[in-house]
Amino acid sequence: MAHDYLIIGAGPAGLQLAALLDRDGRDYAVLERGSGAGTFFTRFPRHRKLISINKVHTGYTDPEQRMRMDWNSLLTDDPDLLFTRYSPKYFPDADDIVRYLHDFAAGLKVHYDIDVTRIERDDNGFVVTDHSGQTWHARNLVLATGVSQLHVPDIPGIEHVERYDTFTTDPQEFTDQRVLVIGKGNSGFETADALVEHAAVIHVAGPHSVKLAWQTHFVGHLRAVNNNFLDTYQLKSENAVIDGTIERIEQLENGFRIQFRYARTVEKLRELEYDRIIACTGFRFDASIFADGCRPALVIKDRFPELTSAFESVNVPGLYFAGTITQSRDFKKSTSGFIHGFRYGARALHRVLTARNHDVPWPHTPLELSPEAISDALIARVNTSSCLWQQFAVIGDVVTVDGGEARYEEEVPVAYVADGGLGPGEHRFVATLEYGPDHDTVDPFDITIPRVAENDATNAAQASYLHPVVRYYRHGVLTATHHLAENLENHWDFPDVHQQPLVVFVKECLAGA
């Protein structure tokens, strides 16, 4: 079977892209290894509570503003296909998203129980072979498989320990035992927190400092919903977070002995013993199905595919990626690793494919060519956009001025603009929402640390809070930047004090000042 587009994976990213292709009447198919949509969520997270926000009651009536607080819905015009209809919980159950994705997939061209075993290239594109030996052909191949393989650190003896993806989650089986959890991410602390009532001692170990999401603004760092364990450590309740590296794991007759090198004590190396060890060390992209001639280059310790700004493999033309495996573009900085981020990335990918393969330019609306109209349009979108809010610093809105005309292009990856993806343009203004340069080092609850005042345009570039930034490109070259000092952490609309400075900035740029 041959298609213009073949998507592998019927998780949220694959379904998001499929729904957009389906709406446009494109020739596509989705191959899914599981028996239903969203198979990943039938097993993960292991303790079944999602950490993605589901705020049903926002006070907004505008659907776009409501999406800012809805981290699970895919982009759709059907109000019945919003995740907020499926659960009232702020942190919903994983089973709820399985139900949601099942309904979202209805009517899409998804083939279930298709386990892809090999991907090759031929003169017409890609050849995909499944477990039964059947072949599927496509001019464009999109991998939306997620990070499906456990990332196993290079520690001698690691093969003997239990793994997050397979260990038993019944806490009673850990009663009165000494337990070591390897990994200081959400999966590690989620696991430790679940064992607190039964295990005698729990240590959570890793070489890096614990990073808290409320400080770094990266939602993949430790979330408050999983950090109760920190209380049990700092309030001396037999648990601990230990900082350093595990250099060796030795399996004993009734447990394990590890060699642990401390990161910040005089006692550098020590032997510690445990009854159980669980590796909660994150996940990685599985590239094993690719033949040598089309294996994508990998980055970040070979955990993710290396991508262009168009979500395409840097070394395999026609091979695209959607979903959490696109996070190499903003690793631990923005939200491409999560539904509320990559749903916009999938829509951007759809627009890239539409422009490349069907000669349809990026969606745009004409705009009056005046500094006032350009400023009004940018501020109106910044006030309401969910994409700019969620994909901070990664996706922006663009005003292109060329040939005496102005047009507004929504939700374009910033790197794609910089790489010339929108084509030539004399003037371009790119609006994003961003945190300041040192935002992840500032304790937001420390009132002794001064903050840049709202409306202080002179010092806005140093503001640690989320605020709008407008960059100006002249003939593709970044020429000037304007920061608007408005704290977006509160309910807000731009006061007039921001309007005139932005108008002046736009006017000076257009005049070549």
Side-chain angles (χ1 to χ4, degrees):
M1 285 175 277
H3 299 278
D4 287 341
Y5 301 97
L6 194 61
I7 303 169
I8 300 180
L15 295 179
Q16 180 69 82
L17 182 58
L20 295 168
L21 293 171
D22 193 82
R23 181 199 65 189
D24 290 353
R26 306 300 182 199
D27 175 26
Y28 77 95
V30 183
L31 307 184
E32 166 57 43
R33 177 169 54 186
S35 59
T39 302
F40 177 87
F41 293 101
T42 64
R43 186 165 186 79
F44 300 105
R46 296 300 310 281
H47 297 92
R48 310 309 293 147
K49 179 186 285 188
L50 299 176
I51 59 174
S52 48
I53 290 172
N54 177 53
K55 197 168 190 300
V56 177
H57 306 288
T58 66
Y60 291 115
T61 57
D62 180 5
E64 183 72 6
Q65 289 178 294
R66 290 176 63 85
M67 283 293 281
R68 289 181 169 187
M69 312 304 164
D70 177 352
W71 289 16
N72 299 283
S73 291
L74 298 180
L75 304 175
T76 175
D77 295 327
D78 184 352
D80 290 330
L81 280 180
L82 293 174
F83 183 81
T84 48
R85 302 287 180 94
Y86 285 73
S87 173
K89 294 182 179 178
Y90 191 73
F91 293 114
D93 298 327
D95 291 341
D96 293 329
I97 202 164
V98 175
R99 291 191 300 110
Y100 170 69
L101 294 175
H102 172 271
D103 290 352
F104 194 93
L108 299 179
K109 299 171 184 176
V110 185
H111 302 267
Y112 296 108
D113 297 312
I114 302 295
D115 188 6
V116 173
T117 58
R118 188 170 179 82
I119 297 174
E120 302 170 279
R121 292 207 66 161
D122 63 12
D123 294 339
N124 297 314
F126 296 88
V127 180
V128 176
T129 305
D130 66 24
H131 65 287
S132 68
Q134 182 179 6
T135 57
W136 307 72
H137 299 261
R139 291 195 301 114
N140 302 274
L141 182 64
V142 183
L143 267 289
T145 53
V147 281
S148 57
Q149 192 173 69
L150 191 75
H151 170 65
V152 181
D154 186 18
I155 301 172
I158 190 72
E159 67 275 10
H160 300 305
V161 310
E162 297 171 78
R163 297 164 40 132
Y164 175 75
D165 55 345
T166 55
F167 87 104
T168 176
T169 56
D170 182 357
Q172 295 189 40
E173 294 198 14
F174 294 82
T175 301
D176 280 330
Q177 294 184 336
R178 291 176 56 86
V179 181
L180 173 66
V181 177
I182 305 175
K184 291 180 178 176
N186 280 292
S187 62
F189 280 98
E190 163 207 325
T191 298
D193 191 54
L195 303 181
V196 162
E197 294 180 358
H198 288 271
V201 172
I202 306 171
H203 290 172
V204 176
H208 305 295
S209 303
V210 172
K211 293 187 176 181
L212 301 169
W214 50 259
Q215 179 170 339
T216 66
H217 301 109
F218 173 63
V219 299
H221 285 148
L222 181 58
R223 302 287 298 283
V225 69
N226 285 327
N227 73 13
N228 286 337
F229 181 84
L230 298 180
D231 263 13
T232 73
Y233 169 38
Q234 292 298 340
L235 299 180
K236 311 305 177 189
S237 298
E238 292 195 287
N239 299 324
V241 176
I242 55 177
D243 308 313
T245 57
I246 299 169
E247 303 208 341
R248 181 174 297 277
I249 299 172
E250 178 186 356
Q251 188 172 28
L252 306 176
E253 183 176 351
N254 294 306
F256 300 89
R257 179 186 296 121
I258 70 167
Q259 288 185 346
F260 190 80
R261 186 171 297 278
Y262 285 94
R264 54 177 181 173
T265 65
V266 175
E267 183 184 25
K268 291 291 187 182
L269 190 64
R270 186 177 178 186
E271 290 189 343
L272 304 171
E273 293 190 1
Y274 300 93
D275 299 301
R276 309 275 284 273
I277 299 177
I278 308 169
C280 301
T281 48
F283 292 84
R284 62 188 299 272
F285 170 64
D286 183 5
S288 63
I289 58 177
F290 288 92
D292 290 340
C294 63
R295 184 181 298 272
L298 303 179
V299 292
I300 310 174
K301 297 182 179 179
D302 290 343
R303 291 179 63 185
F304 303 99
E306 186 176 4
L307 310 181
T308 71
S309 58
F311 306 99
E312 187 176 22
S313 169
V314 297
N315 66 308
V316 185
L319 175 60
Y320 296 90
F321 296 86
T324 189
I325 50 179
T326 64
Q327 64 182 284
S328 60
R329 296 290 308 178
D330 61 350
F331 187 59
K332 294 189 177 181
K333 294 179 181 178
S334 195
T335 59
S336 292
F338 312 91
I339 293 175
H340 65 291
F342 66 61
R343 62 190 178 194
Y344 303 104
R347 182 156 67 185
L349 171 59
H350 171 256
R351 290 169 175 171
V352 168
L353 295 172
T354 301
R356 288 185 171 185
N357 300 326
H358 307 283
D359 293 324
V360 178
W362 202 277
H364 61 275
T365 54
L367 193 62
E368 177 190 329
L369 180 48
S370 72
E372 291 78 11
I374 291 172
S375 299
D376 286 347
L378 290 173
I379 287 176
R381 275 281 297 168
V382 165
N383 275 339
T384 57
S385 168
S386 64
C387 176
L388 272 60
W389 178 272
Q390 300 292 15
Q391 279 280 55
F392 51 88
V394 173
I395 293 182
D397 276 7
V398 181
V399 175
T400 299
V401 178
D402 198 38
E405 297 180 341
R407 62 180 182 270
Y408 199 106
E409 294 148 312
E410 294 183 2
E411 301 177 11
V412 189
V414 174
Y416 187 72
V417 179
D419 290 344
L422 292 179
E426 183 179 1
H427 308 277
R428 277 206 168 94
F429 298 91
V430 181
T432 55
L433 299 182
E434 300 181 19
Y435 292 95
D438 299 316
H439 68 93
D440 56 345
T441 66
V442 177
D443 182 349
F445 301 114
D446 186 351
I447 64 172
T448 67
I449 299 176
R451 306 182 76 174
V452 175
E454 295 182 51
N455 307 334
D456 181 2
T458 302
N459 297 301
Q462 302 305 314
S464 62
Y465 47 70
L466 190 66
H467 65 280
V469 182
V470 179
R471 291 181 172 84
Y472 169 64
Y473 293 79
R474 184 174 178 85
H475 293 298
V477 178
L478 178 61
T479 304
T481 303
H482 180 73
H483 291 257
L484 294 88
E486 183 71 14
N487 184 353
L488 308 194
E489 294 167 7
N490 305 310
H491 179 79
W492 58 279
D493 282 300
F494 271 109
D496 291 341
V497 69
H498 296 291
Q499 178 96 6
Q500 287 309 310
L502 182 57
V503 169
V504 171
F505 173 75
V506 172
K507 184 178 296 184
E508 290 177 346
C509 290
L510 292 176

